[in-house]
PDB file of all heavy atoms in Angstrom:
ATOM      1  N   PHE X 117      88.288  94.494  96.399  1.00 95.00           N
ATOM      2  CA  PHE X 117      88.004  95.101  95.089  1.00 95.00           C
ATOM      3  C   PHE X 117      89.095  96.114  94.752  1.00 95.00           C
ATOM      4  O   PHE X 117      89.892  96.497  95.615  1.00 95.00           O
ATOM      5  CB  PHE X 117      86.623  95.783  95.128  1.00 95.00           C
ATOM      6  CG  PHE X 117      86.483  96.786  96.243  1.00 95.00           C
ATOM      7  CD1 PHE X 117      86.842  98.111  96.072  1.00 95.00           C
ATOM      8  CD2 PHE X 117      86.013  96.391  97.494  1.00 95.00           C
ATOM      9  CE1 PHE X 117      86.730  99.027  97.109  1.00 95.00           C
ATOM     10  CE2 PHE X 117      85.897  97.292  98.539  1.00 95.00           C
ATOM     11  CZ  PHE X 117      86.254  98.617  98.346  1.00 95.00           C
ATOM     12  N   PHE X 118      89.101  96.559  93.501  1.00 95.00           N
ATOM     13  CA  PHE X 118      90.030  97.602  93.076  1.00 95.00           C
ATOM     14  C   PHE X 118      89.423  98.967  93.394  1.00 95.00           C
ATOM     15  O   PHE X 118      88.254  99.201  93.111  1.00 95.00           O
ATOM     16  CB  PHE X 118      90.248  97.563  91.560  1.00 95.00           C
ATOM     17  CG  PHE X 118      91.189  96.503  91.112  1.00 95.00           C
ATOM     18  CD1 PHE X 118      90.749  95.454  90.331  1.00 95.00           C
ATOM     19  CD2 PHE X 118      92.534  96.556  91.448  1.00 95.00           C
ATOM     20  CE1 PHE X 118      91.614  94.473  89.892  1.00 95.00           C
ATOM     21  CE2 PHE X 118      93.409  95.574  91.015  1.00 95.00           C
ATOM     22  CZ  PHE X 118      92.947  94.539  90.240  1.00 95.00           C
ATOM     23  N   GLY X 119      90.242  99.864  93.929  1.00 96.00           N
ATOM     24  CA  GLY X 119      89.771 101.229  94.139  1.00 96.00           C
ATOM     25  C   GLY X 119      90.211 102.117  92.992  1.00 96.00           C
ATOM     26  O   GLY X 119      91.133 101.777  92.249  1.00 96.00           O
ATOM     27  N   ASP X 120      89.580 103.287  92.894  1.00 96.00           N
ATOM     28  CA  ASP X 120      90.000 104.255  91.875  1.00 96.00           C
ATOM     29  C   ASP X 120      91.416 104.771  92.156  1.00 96.00           C
ATOM     30  O   ASP X 120      92.018 105.408  91.301  1.00 96.00           O
ATOM     31  CB  ASP X 120      89.025 105.448  91.840  1.00 96.00           C
ATOM     32  CG  ASP X 120      87.715 105.082  91.145  1.00 96.00           C
ATOM     33  OD1 ASP X 120      87.631 103.983  90.568  1.00 96.00           O
ATOM     34  OD2 ASP X 120      86.775 105.902  91.187  1.00 96.00           O
ATOM     35  N   ASN X 121      91.921 104.531  93.351  1.00 94.00           N
ATOM     36  CA  ASN X 121      93.313 104.918  93.653  1.00 94.00           C
ATOM     37  C   ASN X 121      94.311 103.880  93.125  1.00 94.00           C
ATOM     38  O   ASN X 121      95.507 103.968  93.386  1.00 94.00           O
ATOM     39  CB  ASN X 121      93.516 105.144  95.167  1.00 94.00           C
ATOM     40  CG  ASN X 121      93.114 103.935  96.000  1.00 94.00           C
ATOM     41  OD1 ASN X 121      92.810 102.871  95.463  1.00 94.00           O
ATOM     42  ND2 ASN X 121      93.128 104.095  97.318  1.00 94.00           N
ATOM     43  N   GLY X 122      93.794 102.907  92.394  1.00 93.00           N
ATOM     44  CA  GLY X 122      94.673 101.909  91.769  1.00 93.00           C
ATOM     45  C   GLY X 122      95.109 100.813  92.709  1.00 93.00           C
ATOM     46  O   GLY X 122      95.979 100.005  92.369  1.00 93.00           O
ATOM     47  N   LEU X 123      94.510 100.761  93.905  1.00 95.00           N
ATOM     48  CA  LEU X 123      94.955  99.788  94.906  1.00 95.00           C
ATOM     49  C   LEU X 123      93.872  98.761  95.205  1.00 95.00           C
ATOM     50  O   LEU X 123      92.682  99.018  95.018  1.00 95.00           O
ATOM     51  CB  LEU X 123      95.323 100.521  96.206  1.00 95.00           C
ATOM     52  CG  LEU X 123      96.450 101.540  96.055  1.00 95.00           C
ATOM     53  CD1 LEU X 123      96.525 102.425  97.283  1.00 95.00           C
ATOM     54  CD2 LEU X 123      97.778 100.830  95.830  1.00 95.00           C
ATOM     55  N   ILE X 125      91.556  96.934  97.730  1.00 97.00           N
ATOM     56  CA  ILE X 125      90.942  97.348  99.001  1.00 97.00           C
ATOM     57  C   ILE X 125      90.149  96.173  99.573  1.00 97.00           C
ATOM     58  O   ILE X 125      89.352  95.550  98.867  1.00 97.00           O
ATOM     59  CB  ILE X 125      90.001  98.559  98.795  1.00 97.00           C
ATOM     60  CG1 ILE X 125      90.805  99.755  98.242  1.00 97.00           C
ATOM     61  CG2 ILE X 125      89.303  98.943 100.100  1.00 97.00           C
ATOM     62  CD1 ILE X 125      89.971 100.988  97.932  1.00 97.00           C
ATOM     63  N   GLU X 158      82.308  97.609  96.786  1.00 91.00           N
ATOM     64  CA  GLU X 158      83.091  98.175  95.697  1.00 91.00           C
ATOM     65  C   GLU X 158      83.409  99.640  95.940  1.00 91.00           C
ATOM     66  O   GLU X 158      82.793 100.272  96.813  1.00 91.00           O
ATOM     67  CB  GLU X 158      82.386  97.987  94.345  1.00 91.00           C
ATOM     68  CG  GLU X 158      81.026  98.621  94.279  1.00 91.00           C
ATOM     69  CD  GLU X 158      80.395  98.417  92.907  1.00 91.00           C
ATOM     70  OE1 GLU X 158      80.537  97.312  92.338  1.00 91.00           O
ATOM     71  OE2 GLU X 158      79.772  99.357  92.416  1.00 91.00           O
ATOM     72  N   CYS X 159      84.390 100.150  95.191  1.00 95.00           N
ATOM     73  CA  CYS X 159      84.803 101.547  95.310  1.00 95.00           C
ATOM     74  C   CYS X 159      83.589 102.443  95.081  1.00 95.00           C
ATOM     75  O   CYS X 159      82.799 102.206  94.170  1.00 95.00           O
ATOM     76  CB  CYS X 159      85.889 101.814  94.261  1.00 95.00           C
ATOM     77  SG  CYS X 159      86.355 103.532  94.095  1.00 95.00           S
ATOM     78  N   SER X 160      83.464 103.476  95.916  1.00 95.00           N
ATOM     79  CA  SER X 160      82.292 104.358  95.782  1.00 95.00           C
ATOM     80  C   SER X 160      82.525 105.460  94.760  1.00 95.00           C
ATOM     81  O   SER X 160      81.627 106.264  94.520  1.00 95.00           O
ATOM     82  CB  SER X 160      81.977 104.974  97.140  1.00 95.00           C
ATOM     83  OG  SER X 160      83.065 105.800  97.520  1.00 95.00           O
ATOM     84  N   HIS X 161      83.732 105.497  94.182  1.00 97.00           N
ATOM     85  CA  HIS X 161      84.101 106.542  93.195  1.00 97.00           C
ATOM     86  C   HIS X 161      83.869 107.939  93.772  1.00 97.00           C
ATOM     87  O   HIS X 161      83.401 108.839  93.065  1.00 97.00           O
ATOM     88  CB  HIS X 161      83.316 106.366  91.886  1.00 97.00           C
ATOM     89  CG  HIS X 161      83.309 104.950  91.363  1.00 97.00           C
ATOM     90  ND1 HIS X 161      84.477 104.315  90.983  1.00 97.00           N
ATOM     91  CD2 HIS X 161      82.308 104.056  91.203  1.00 97.00           C
ATOM     92  CE1 HIS X 161      84.168 103.084  90.593  1.00 97.00           C
ATOM     93  NE2 HIS X 161      82.874 102.895  90.724  1.00 97.00           N
ATOM     94  N   CYS X 162      84.172 108.107  95.056  1.00 97.00           N
ATOM     95  CA  CYS X 162      83.912 109.402  95.708  1.00 97.00           C
ATOM     96  C   CYS X 162      84.865 110.501  95.236  1.00 97.00           C
ATOM     97  O   CYS X 162      84.607 111.676  95.446  1.00 97.00           O
ATOM     98  CB  CYS X 162      83.998 109.252  97.226  1.00 97.00           C
ATOM     99  SG  CYS X 162      85.681 108.871  97.802  1.00 97.00           S
ATOM    100  N   GLY X 163      85.984 110.114  94.651  1.00 97.00           N
ATOM    101  CA  GLY X 163      86.911 111.115  94.105  1.00 97.00           C
ATOM    102  C   GLY X 163      87.887 111.692  95.119  1.00 97.00           C
ATOM    103  O   GLY X 163      88.726 112.536  94.782  1.00 97.00           O
ATOM    104  N   LYS X 164      87.789 111.270  96.390  1.00 97.00           N
ATOM    105  CA  LYS X 164      88.662 111.858  97.425  1.00 97.00           C
ATOM    106  C   LYS X 164      90.134 111.590  97.149  1.00 97.00           C
ATOM    107  O   LYS X 164      90.992 112.420  97.421  1.00 97.00           O
ATOM    108  CB  LYS X 164      88.290 111.306  98.808  1.00 97.00           C
ATOM    109  CG  LYS X 164      86.973 111.838  99.304  1.00 97.00           C
ATOM    110  CD  LYS X 164      86.701 111.406 100.726  1.00 97.00           C
ATOM    111  CE  LYS X 164      85.393 112.041 101.195  1.00 97.00           C
ATOM    112  NZ  LYS X 164      84.959 111.558 102.477  1.00 97.00           N
ATOM    113  N   CYS X 165      90.436 110.389  96.637  1.00 96.00           N
ATOM    114  CA  CYS X 165      91.844 110.046  96.385  1.00 96.00           C
ATOM    115  C   CYS X 165      92.426 110.948  95.301  1.00 96.00           C
ATOM    116  O   CYS X 165      93.534 111.481  95.445  1.00 96.00           O
ATOM    117  CB  CYS X 165      91.992 108.573  96.018  1.00 96.00           C
ATOM    118  SG  CYS X 165      90.860 107.990  94.758  1.00 96.00           S
ATOM    119  N   ARG X 166      91.663 111.165  94.262  1.00 94.00           N
ATOM    120  CA  ARG X 166      92.167 111.996  93.157  1.00 94.00           C
ATOM    121  C   ARG X 166      92.329 113.437  93.628  1.00 94.00           C
ATOM    122  O   ARG X 166      93.315 114.106  93.319  1.00 94.00           O
ATOM    123  CB  ARG X 166      91.200 111.924  91.980  1.00 94.00           C
ATOM    124  CG  ARG X 166      91.761 112.554  90.723  1.00 94.00           C
ATOM    125  CD  ARG X 166      90.951 112.233  89.526  1.00 94.00           C
ATOM    126  NE  ARG X 166      90.769 110.798  89.357  1.00 94.00           N
ATOM    127  CZ  ARG X 166      89.971 110.252  88.463  1.00 94.00           C
ATOM    128  NH1 ARG X 166      89.269 111.016  87.666  1.00 94.00           N
ATOM    129  NH2 ARG X 166      89.859 108.953  88.342  1.00 94.00           N
ATOM    130  N   CYS X 211      96.664 108.926  98.954  1.00 96.00           N
ATOM    131  CA  CYS X 211      95.410 108.421  98.347  1.00 96.00           C
ATOM    132  C   CYS X 211      94.846 107.240  99.134  1.00 96.00           C
ATOM    133  O   CYS X 211      93.719 106.806  98.876  1.00 96.00           O
ATOM    134  CB  CYS X 211      95.588 108.093  96.869  1.00 96.00           C
ATOM    135  SG  CYS X 211      96.913 106.949  96.493  1.00 96.00           S
ATOM    136  N   GLN X 212      95.605 106.729 100.077  1.00 97.00           N
ATOM    137  CA  GLN X 212      95.072 105.688 100.968  1.00 97.00           C
ATOM    138  C   GLN X 212      94.473 106.348 102.209  1.00 97.00           C
ATOM    139  O   GLN X 212      93.410 105.968 102.677  1.00 97.00           O
ATOM    140  CB  GLN X 212      96.177 104.733 101.403  1.00 97.00           C
ATOM    141  CG  GLN X 212      96.832 104.010 100.243  1.00 97.00           C
ATOM    142  CD  GLN X 212      97.646 102.835 100.742  1.00 97.00           C
ATOM    143  OE1 GLN X 212      97.101 101.822 101.125  1.00 97.00           O
ATOM    144  NE2 GLN X 212      98.960 102.983 100.738  1.00 97.00           N
ATOM    145  N   VAL X 214      93.068 109.174 102.669  1.00 97.00           N
ATOM    146  CA  VAL X 214      91.781 109.872 102.515  1.00 97.00           C
ATOM    147  C   VAL X 214      90.635 108.935 102.121  1.00 97.00           C
ATOM    148  O   VAL X 214      89.481 109.332 102.125  1.00 97.00           O
ATOM    149  CB  VAL X 214      91.877 111.002 101.451  1.00 97.00           C
ATOM    150  CG1 VAL X 214      92.877 112.058 101.881  1.00 97.00           C
ATOM    151  CG2 VAL X 214      92.213 110.446 100.079  1.00 97.00           C
ATOM    152  N   CYS X 215      90.962 107.698 101.787  1.00 98.00           N
ATOM    153  CA  CYS X 215      89.925 106.773 101.307  1.00 98.00           C
ATOM    154  C   CYS X 215      89.013 106.362 102.467  1.00 98.00           C
ATOM    155  O   CYS X 215      89.487 105.888 103.501  1.00 98.00           O
ATOM    156  CB  CYS X 215      90.575 105.539 100.688  1.00 98.00           C
ATOM    157  SG  CYS X 215      89.358 104.321 100.156  1.00 98.00           S
ATOM    158  N   PRO X 216      87.708 106.515 102.318  1.00 97.00           N
ATOM    159  CA  PRO X 216      86.785 106.143 103.398  1.00 97.00           C
ATOM    160  C   PRO X 216      86.924 104.684 103.830  1.00 97.00           C
ATOM    161  O   PRO X 216      86.631 104.360 104.977  1.00 97.00           O
ATOM    162  CB  PRO X 216      85.399 106.390 102.799  1.00 97.00           C
ATOM    163  CG  PRO X 216      85.620 107.341 101.669  1.00 97.00           C
ATOM    164  CD  PRO X 216      87.006 107.105 101.155  1.00 97.00           C
ATOM    165  N   PHE X 217      87.382 103.823 102.943  1.00 96.00           N
ATOM    166  CA  PHE X 217      87.533 102.411 103.325  1.00 96.00           C
ATOM    167  C   PHE X 217      88.708 102.197 104.279  1.00 96.00           C
ATOM    168  O   PHE X 217      88.871 101.115 104.830  1.00 96.00           O
ATOM    169  CB  PHE X 217      87.685 101.526 102.085  1.00 96.00           C
ATOM    170  CG  PHE X 217      86.400 101.357 101.345  1.00 96.00           C
ATOM    171  CD1 PHE X 217      86.133 102.124 100.219  1.00 96.00           C
ATOM    172  CD2 PHE X 217      85.425 100.479 101.787  1.00 96.00           C
ATOM    173  CE1 PHE X 217      84.930 101.996  99.542  1.00 96.00           C
ATOM    174  CE2 PHE X 217      84.221 100.341 101.120  1.00 96.00           C
ATOM    175  CZ  PHE X 217      83.967 101.105  99.985  1.00 96.00           C
ATOM    176  N   ASN X 218      89.535 103.219 104.461  1.00 97.00           N
ATOM    177  CA  ASN X 218      90.644 103.100 105.420  1.00 97.00           C
ATOM    178  C   ASN X 218      90.337 103.797 106.744  1.00 97.00           C
ATOM    179  O   ASN X 218      91.187 103.818 107.638  1.00 97.00           O
ATOM    180  CB  ASN X 218      91.930 103.676 104.819  1.00 97.00           C
ATOM    181  CG  ASN X 218      92.546 102.716 103.813  1.00 97.00           C
ATOM    182  OD1 ASN X 218      92.417 101.502 103.955  1.00 97.00           O
ATOM    183  ND2 ASN X 218      93.175 103.249 102.788  1.00 97.00           N
TER     184      ASN X 218
HETATM  185  S1  SF4 E   4      88.929 107.504  97.938  1.00 92.83           S
HETATM  186 FE1  SF4 E   4      86.867 107.101  97.075  1.00 92.83          FE
HETATM  187  S2  SF4 E   4      87.249 106.901  94.856  1.00 92.83           S
HETATM  188 FE2  SF4 E   4      89.224 106.698  95.865  1.00 92.83          FE
HETATM  189  S3  SF4 E   4      89.531 104.472  96.111  1.00 92.83           S
HETATM  190 FE3  SF4 E   4      88.611 105.240  98.018  1.00 92.83          FE
HETATM  191  S4  SF4 E   4      86.384 104.984  97.715  1.00 92.83           S
HETATM  192 FE4  SF4 E   4      87.334 104.793  95.701  1.00 92.83          FE
END
Side-chain angles (χ1 to χ4, degrees):
F117 55 89
F118 281 115
D120 284 352
N121 56 7
L123 300 167
I125 299 177
E158 59 179 40
C159 172
S160 64
H161 313 297
C162 67
K164 289 186 177 173
C165 49
R166 190 168 306 172
C211 55
Q212 299 195 74
V214 298
C215 177
F217 286 99
N218 283 329

